[in-house]
Amino acid sequence: MREPTPSPPPQPTVPPKPSSEPTAGSVGPVVDGLFSAAARHLRELLHAVTHPSHPPTPLLVDAPKRWQRLLPYVVVLTVVCVLFPVTITVLAGDYRVSGGIAGALAALQVLPLLMMGHRPLQTCWIVLPAGVIGSLFLFTQQGGQVRSIWPWPAPTIVGLLFLLFALALRERRRTLVGVWLFVALTGIGLGQLHPEASDGTNLLTVVLSAVVLVVGGVLRERGDVQRRLVEQETISEAERAQRTLLEERTRIARELHDVVAHHMSMITVQADSAPYRISGLPAEAEEEFASIAASARESLTEMRRLLVVLRSEGTEGERAPQPGLNKVQQLVEATVRAGVPAELSMAGGLGTGPGSPAVPQAVDLSAYRIVQEALANVVRHAPGATTRVSVRVEDLDLLVLIVNGPAPEPTSRVEAKGAGGHGLVGMRERVRLTGGTLDTGPLPDGGFRVAARLPLRNPPKNSTEKNSTEKDSPAP
């Protein structure tokens, strides 16, 4: 007989969790939530009014001009120099305070304003308690019968408004609200000590302080928005320049595909035909030629795949052969038809055939594109300017020089692409590709000069590039 299976032990009963949803006749959780939110906001408010949100740097420290950076110091010093003697005079004359005590009270309330240019929040918690202490002193000294403006003397109100404006230019909204609440509560509370003498001064101070804080806060937020826009524009400009550079490099890579593919095709044909052209080759040599031809064909296949990756979506491959120095004459003639008087000076034999024998194909194509971009910039930025194009061989280097004079009439700068390239960016990349040098810059007469030196032999390992200007147009 099998033993009976023991039954599982009974599970302990877990009491259901109390629901946080309020029930009829119970508002405890709701009240607790309101108290918790109020306590949290109060803690945040206290933290905001006791911790500055910015480092102790002066106002307008990032201004471009020196007088703008010095302006806050001049304003603060002027306010202090004016308010200090005026406060002493008002306390001694209107409130019947002795000269020494008036000077001490004025120093306590006015001299801390020297810090409001770079530490406005700390200055507030010196000046505001000092104002309260001064008001209580005046109230007790005159036996509760103040015979002048109450609770704040006029110079104190003026200094307070300047301080609040400086604070609004630096701090966040929560901080401004906390400081304004302190000003309002202390002003109204002191005003109740002697309502007959206040005559609405405390309420006027509350309203003026609110207006000053709102105006200063609006100016600060507007400045923050403008700074963020400038930063975003700078980032966008850098990204645009990087994208332009990458597009130009991709375009150059697509164009060089034809040059490299031509050489790889020649290697394949020569390796395949070598056993038929050369008699008596050993079997090892025939196998080596066959391996060379197979590697060349595989390289061509991989290059075609790479070209598919480099080609933009929606574009088709160019079926026309790549241009070279043999097309420069036609390029200059087209520029003349566009209204630019251009002249060409090119050494004989450079443009007599496709891919001139003395000029490597990469250099041949780069020289043509440099002339093309330079002439396109002349048409776009200096229409009608006299232009000279010179292409010659000098010290085993190909020297390409394009010089244009000033435009006959002032023209507006039109940001447009020329000939499918990117102006000086494309020129620099093509010169860097061949290991040459590029010199661009304006001329004293208002024209522009583009000079490229492209080596006709193997490019050096470390090519140098000299740019006398960074603007992407040949006309001022």
Side-chain angles (χ1 to χ4, degrees):
M1 294 178 61
R2 292 190 306 175
E3 296 182 359
T5 304
S7 60
Q11 298 294 331
T13 303
V14 179
K17 294 182 179 180
S19 175
S20 59
E21 295 293 334
T23 59
S26 175
V27 294
V30 176
V31 174
D32 291 341
L34 293 177
F35 280 128
S36 300
R40 184 180 69 255
H41 287 298
L42 181 59
R43 286 194 300 269
E44 294 175 354
L45 184 63
L46 291 177
H47 183 273
V49 297
T50 54
H51 293 77
S53 61
H54 64 89
T57 54
L59 286 169
L60 304 180
V61 67
D62 297 327
K65 297 182 179 179
R66 188 169 183 268
W67 69 268
Q68 294 175 342
R69 296 191 295 270
L70 293 177
L71 183 61
Y73 296 100
V74 175
V75 173
V76 170
L77 189 60
T78 302
V79 170
V80 172
C81 291
V82 171
L83 287 182
F84 186 70
V86 172
T87 303
I88 295 177
T89 303
V90 170
L91 292 177
D94 297 346
Y95 293 88
R96 304 294 189 270
V97 180
S98 61
I101 297 177
L105 291 176
L108 187 62
Q109 297 177 9
V110 176
L111 293 184
L113 295 177
L114 291 171
M115 300 190 306
M116 68 178 177
H118 55 285
R119 287 186 173 91
L121 185 59
Q122 294 90 329
T123 307
C124 274
W125 298 122
I126 297 176
V127 172
L128 292 178
V132 174
I133 293 173
S135 298
L136 293 176
F137 176 80
L138 296 177
F139 183 76
T140 56
Q141 186 190 40
Q142 299 186 9
Q145 299 295 324
V146 182
R147 300 178 178 82
S148 186
I149 298 177
W150 175 259
W152 313 107
T156 303
I157 296 176
V158 175
L160 177 63
L161 295 179
F162 273 102
L163 176 59
L164 294 179
F165 185 73
L167 181 70
L169 293 178
R170 304 300 292 272
E171 295 296 337
R172 297 165 296 181
R173 293 183 182 180
R174 185 179 287 112
T175 304
L176 302 185
V177 171
V179 173
W180 179 79
L181 288 176
F182 182 85
V183 173
L185 293 177
T186 54
I188 295 175
L190 291 174
Q192 297 304 314
L193 296 177
H194 193 19
E196 297 81 5
S198 64
D199 195 21
T201 304
N202 52 353
L203 297 179
L204 178 63
T205 304
V206 171
V207 174
L208 289 178
S209 61
V211 172
V212 169
L213 289 175
V214 169
V215 172
V218 169
L219 292 177
R220 178 187 59 80
E221 293 181 359
R222 180 175 179 270
D224 292 342
V225 171
Q226 290 179 341
R227 280 191 295 271
R228 285 195 293 268
L229 286 176
V230 171
E231 293 175 358
Q232 191 62 39
E233 289 176 358
T234 303
I235 295 174
S236 300
E237 186 64 28
E239 293 177 349
R240 189 181 304 112
Q242 184 66 18
R243 184 172 62 253
T244 300
L245 179 62
L246 294 177
E247 289 176 357
E248 188 63 22
R249 288 179 177 177
T250 302
R251 178 170 177 259
I252 294 173
R254 290 199 305 265
E255 292 178 350
L256 286 179
H257 167 269
D258 292 345
V259 177
V260 179
H262 170 72
H263 293 297
M264 296 300 297
S265 300
M266 294 297 298
I267 293 174
T268 303
V269 172
Q270 291 175 355
D272 283 334
S273 61
Y276 302 99
R277 291 183 291 104
I278 305 174
S279 60
L281 285 177
E284 293 81 0
E286 292 182 1
E287 293 178 359
E288 188 68 23
F289 279 118
S291 176
I292 294 174
S295 298
R297 281 191 292 269
E298 183 179 354
S299 299
L300 276 174
T301 303
E302 297 298 331
M303 286 183 58
R304 293 189 183 98
R305 293 174 181 171
L306 177 62
L307 184 63
V308 172
V309 175
L310 294 177
R311 184 174 294 125
S312 302
E313 295 183 1
T315 60
E316 298 181 356
E318 297 180 1
R319 302 184 183 276
Q322 294 292 350
L325 293 175
N326 59 314
K327 299 293 184 180
V328 171
Q329 179 66 40
Q330 301 177 13
L331 189 62
V332 173
E333 293 175 356
T335 305
V336 173
R337 290 194 297 270
V340 176
E343 301 176 357
L344 173 63
S345 173
M346 186 164 60
L350 286 179
T352 56
S356 304
V359 181
Q361 287 184 325
V363 175
D364 194 24
L365 175 60
S366 297
Y368 174 84
R369 293 300 187 192
I370 290 173
V371 175
Q372 184 184 38
E373 293 291 350
L375 292 179
N377 282 342
V378 174
V379 173
R380 189 164 63 248
H381 299 286
T386 302
T387 305
R388 297 186 302 276
V389 180
S390 174
V391 182
R392 66 178 185 273
V393 176
E394 183 179 287
D395 297 334
L396 298 180
D397 293 335
L398 182 66
L399 182 62
V400 181
L401 179 65
I402 304 96
V403 180
N404 67 275
E409 297 179 359
T411 57
S412 59
R413 294 178 58 88
V414 179
E415 298 298 334
K417 293 182 180 180
H422 296 96
L424 295 181
V425 175
M427 296 181 194
R428 285 193 291 267
E429 287 303 308
R430 293 184 182 279
V431 167
R432 189 177 66 88
L433 169 71
T434 60
T437 59
L438 178 67
D439 183 12
T440 61
L443 298 175
D445 61 353
F448 202 86
R449 174 177 179 267
V450 174
R453 183 179 291 272
L454 310 176
L456 298 177
R457 54 191 181 279
N458 292 332
K461 293 183 179 180
N462 296 323
S463 60
T464 59
E465 177 184 350
K466 179 176 66 174
N467 294 296
S468 57
T469 182
E470 292 297 331
K471 65 180 181 177
D472 201 5
S473 68

